[in-house]
Amino acid sequence: MRGPYRPGTPCWVDLMVGDQQAALDFYGGLFGWQAEVGPPEQAGYSVCRLAGQPVAGIMGAINADGTPMDPVPPAAWTTYFATEDAAAAVAAGGAAGGQTVVETMDVMDLGKMAVLADPTGAVFGVWEPGTFPGAGVVNEDNAVIWNELATTDTKAAAAYYEAVVPVTGRPSEIPGVTGYTELVVNGRAVAGVMGLDQHPTGTPPHWMTYFHVDDVDRVQAAAKQAGGRVLAPAFEMPVGRMAVLADPQGAVFAVIRSVEDPQEPDPA
């Protein structure tokens, strides 16, 4: 990634889990990431690296005072959108009918963050960059390539994110794909929105992180061997071959091999 992310573009993902070291071992083995538990002044937050560049974060489920959360929340990946003003995004989210999960906070000199929930309950973050713009590697093997919202109301969700991030919603132009909304920044699709009808009954609205891999079937087998679960075995779709997996602590993610060469996000 060269240059800052345009506002509205997903710029970072991180994972909160009960057993941080186990997660570092799992994803390090699966994707070749290098990481270790971070220093106490960063609450142990780990920045995972690929080819020396930051690619994702993994943190333990701990409170601000350093004590473990009790109960431990479900393990989940969070998508963060780049913004020029995190506080303004929080205000816009409230005005648009969403909720604030974590108020705007400074992360040293790295930037400012907040965690929100849209009106359907899907949780996401916003990131106002300081010295840290976000992921240094995207759209390559073993890095994030796509972020996708599954929701009960695609039109209402698209309108909410248009008001908060900002993005523009449009029907997908991918041949053979119907009922799918693309979130667009500067004319380029940066994320997707789909209905929950294709998910198991009872699945709550959520953001899914997709990682690009060179061989979906191999990664699927490796995840299962390492204690993960296969939720949707490898299958073909118009944009490539993909599988939906869960790590040993239950965090859900997808892997995909795209039929097209991945592209870099447009810098600001």
Side-chain angles (χ1 to χ4, degrees), residues 3-4 22 29 46 66 71 84 92 104 111 126 157 163 168 173 175 177 186 200 225 268:
S46 298
E84 293 180 330
T104 306
V126 292
T168 301
E173 299 176 352
V177 175
N186 195 38
Q225 185 175 11

Side-chain angles (χ1 to χ4, degrees), residues 171-250:
S172 174
E173 299 176 352
I174 301 172
V177 175
T178 58
Y180 194 86
T181 299
E182 296 174 350
L183 302 182
V184 179
V185 173
N186 195 38
R188 186 178 186 278
V190 299
V193 181
M194 65 181 298
L196 274 171
D197 52 298
Q198 298 183 40
H199 291 71
T201 302
T203 301
H206 63 277
W207 277 93
M208 173 89 78
T209 299
Y210 285 67
F211 298 100
H212 196 271
V213 296
D214 63 349
D215 187 330
V216 170
D217 296 82
R218 178 187 61 77
V219 172
Q220 173 181 286
K224 187 174 181 179
Q225 185 175 11
R229 290 181 294 135
V230 179
L231 304 182
F235 62 96
E236 300 291 341
M237 56 187 303
V239 296
R241 185 169 178 80
M242 67 168 287
V244 181
L245 310 173
D247 69 25
Q249 299 183 68

Side-chain angles (χ1 to χ4, degrees), residues 67-236:
T67 59
M69 293 183 179
D70 186 15
V72 175
W77 282 96
T78 299
T79 294
Y80 292 80
F81 291 85
T83 180
E84 293 180 330
D85 189 331
V90 169
Q99 296 182 332
T100 303
V101 179
V102 177
E103 293 283 356
T104 306
M105 59 182 290
D106 291 309
V107 185
M108 298 180 292
D109 64 346
L110 301 175
K112 295 182 180 181
M113 63 160 286
V115 180
L116 310 175
D118 69 26
T120 72
V123 174
F124 68 101
V126 292
W127 179 254
E128 178 186 332
T131 60
F132 183 75
V137 178
V138 291
N139 299 346
E140 295 183 8
D141 288 345
N142 303 314
V144 176
I145 188 173
W146 192 243
N147 304 82
E148 182 179 83
L149 171 66
T151 180
T152 52
D153 190 331
T154 57
K155 290 185 178 180
Y160 170 86
Y161 289 97
E162 287 179 347
V164 175
V165 221
V167 291
T168 301
R170 73 181 182 194
S172 174
E173 299 176 352
I174 301 172
V177 175
T178 58
Y180 194 86
T181 299
E182 296 174 350
L183 302 182
V184 179
V185 173
N186 195 38
R188 186 178 186 278
V190 299
V193 181
M194 65 181 298
L196 274 171
D197 52 298
Q198 298 183 40
H199 291 71
T201 302
T203 301
H206 63 277
W207 277 93
M208 173 89 78
T209 299
Y210 285 67
F211 298 100
H212 196 271
V213 296
D214 63 349
D215 187 330
V216 170
D217 296 82
R218 178 187 61 77
V219 172
Q220 173 181 286
K224 187 174 181 179
Q225 185 175 11
R229 290 181 294 135
V230 179
L231 304 182
F235 62 96
E236 300 291 341

